[in-house]
């Protein structure tokens, strides 16, 4: 399984842009990257997914360099409600359309007023 | 749609007891998975299924059994509970050709 590494925690003030980087050195050609957000006592919620270069949706951007050994989740202008744990997830393609999915240990983001 | 539902929400077991955690989804998703979450460990994949009748092991399968007789249901069985299985268990599902997983609300299990 591809191993992922993320910072354990980050602090940010409201209104700032937050960038969380995940390392996945063993990612293979057919693997994909997704990020999830988790609030206490809830299941994780999908934020964004990408394969290469840059992906943007209404809540975040995902930057993936050409070598794909890392990815960066960017949250623009965070608010207190963005305080949560963010997980980097690498999809390992294991053939026949079957993917094993590996979560990182997560980054606890604390947004400060 | 109810999405992914899990029962029970909470459960306390004694060592050696058995039980089944229930998971159901009404989105007709082919893929379903079980994860456990321990403090400081993130989520770890226990078992997963790519369709009815097909299951496979994840990262931490020991002590757990699964079956997938229907598209909707994916129960997780603990045959002989151990204190090391104290955790929060999440079930998830997704369509075959889509990367977004939908998670249930979780089951908090304590084994004494």
């Amino acid at each position: 399984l591809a191993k992922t590494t993320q910072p354990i925690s980050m602090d940010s003030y409201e209104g700032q842009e937050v960038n969380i980087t995940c390392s996945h050195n063993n990612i293979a050609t057919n693997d994909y990257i997704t990020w999830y957000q988790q609030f206490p006592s809830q299941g994780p919620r999908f934020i964004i997914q990408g394969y290469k270069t840059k992906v943007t949706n209404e809540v975040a951007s995902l930057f993936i360099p050409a070598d794909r050994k890392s990815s960066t989740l960017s949250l623009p202008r965070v608010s207190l409600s963005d305080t949560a744990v963010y997980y980097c997830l690498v999809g390992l393609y294991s053939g026949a359309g079957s993917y094993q999915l590996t979560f990182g240990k997560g980054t606890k983001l604390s947004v400060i007023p | 749609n109810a999405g992914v539902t899990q029962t029970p929400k909470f459960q306390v077991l004694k060592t050696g007891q058995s039980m089944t955690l229930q998971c159901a989804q009404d989105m007709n998703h082919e893929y379903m998975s079980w994860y456990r979450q321990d403090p400081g460990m993130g989520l770890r994949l226990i078992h997963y299924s790519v369709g009815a009748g097909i299951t496979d092991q994840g990262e931490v399968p020991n002590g757990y059994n699964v079956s997938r007789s229907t598209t909707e249901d994916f129960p997780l069985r603990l045959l002989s509970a151990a204190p090391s299985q104290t955790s929060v268990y999440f079930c998830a599902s997704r369509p075959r050709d889509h990367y977004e997983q939908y998670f249930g609300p979780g089951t908090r299990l304590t084994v004494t």
Side-chain angles (χ1 to χ4, degrees):
Chain A
L1 298 175
K3 180 178 170 61
T4 59
T5 304
Q6 304 174 235
I8 294 174
S9 64
M10 296 180 69
D11 294 334
S12 176
Y13 288 101
E14 273 190 296
Q16 290 189 328
E17 178 184 74
V18 170
N19 295 311
I20 306 174
T21 297
C22 176
S23 298
H24 27 78
N25 292 326
N26 296 329
I27 192 169
T29 302
N30 290 331
D31 290 346
Y32 60 94
I33 300 148
T34 58
W35 284 79
Y36 285 77
Q37 175 191 56
Q38 187 179 27
F39 298 111
S41 301
Q42 295 185 22
R45 184 179 70 174
F46 173 86
I47 301 174
I48 196 168
Q49 71 90 12
Y51 210 79
K52 60 175 72 173
T53 63
K54 176 184 175 182
V55 180
T56 298
N57 63 21
E58 62 276 7
V59 298
S61 295
L62 179 60
F63 299 91
I64 305 171
D67 65 7
R68 303 199 336 121
K69 293 183 184 297
S70 66
S71 59
T72 298
L73 175 72
S74 180
L75 304 172
R77 297 180 297 282
V78 294
S79 64
L80 295 177
S81 62
D82 293 316
T83 293
V85 178
Y86 291 82
Y87 291 97
C88 168
L89 185 64
V90 175
L92 177 67
Y93 183 73
S94 55
S98 173
Y99 286 80
Q100 280 203 26
L101 302 171
T102 303
F103 275 84
K105 293 189 177 182
T107 297
K108 185 174 182 180
L109 173 66
S110 298
V111 180
I112 306 164
Chain B
N1 286 351
V4 180
T5 58
Q6 293 183 237
T7 56
K9 291 189 185 300
F10 302 94
Q11 182 72 49
V12 178
L13 291 178
K14 294 186 186 301
T15 298
Q17 287 184 318
S18 64
M19 80 159 296
T20 299
L21 306 185
Q22 302 292 344
C23 174
Q25 52 93 7
D26 60 359
M27 299 172 282
N28 202 33
H29 288 170
E30 292 91 344
Y31 286 34
M32 297 187 74
S33 306
W34 275 103
Y35 295 86
R36 62 177 287 175
Q37 184 170 34
D38 303 301
M41 295 294 291
L43 284 86
R44 292 183 291 172
L45 181 65
I46 305 172
H47 285 285
Y48 66 100
S49 169
V50 300
I54 306 170
T55 64
D56 207 346
Q57 296 181 352
E59 182 185 359
V60 288
N62 293 340
Y64 308 95
N65 282 346
V66 293
S67 60
R68 184 95 179 271
S69 57
T70 67
T71 298
E72 294 77 20
D73 300 299
F74 191 42
L76 179 72
R77 298 184 187 84
L78 284 72
L79 297 180
S80 179
S84 60
Q85 294 178 305
T86 293
S87 188
V88 179
Y89 292 85
F90 289 102
C91 179
S93 74
R94 70 175 177 89
R96 176 187 299 274
D97 297 323
H98 200 278
Y99 306 133
E100 178 176 354
Q101 287 194 98
Y102 296 80
F103 282 82
T107 294
R108 185 174 295 275
L109 175 68
T110 302
V111 183
T112 60

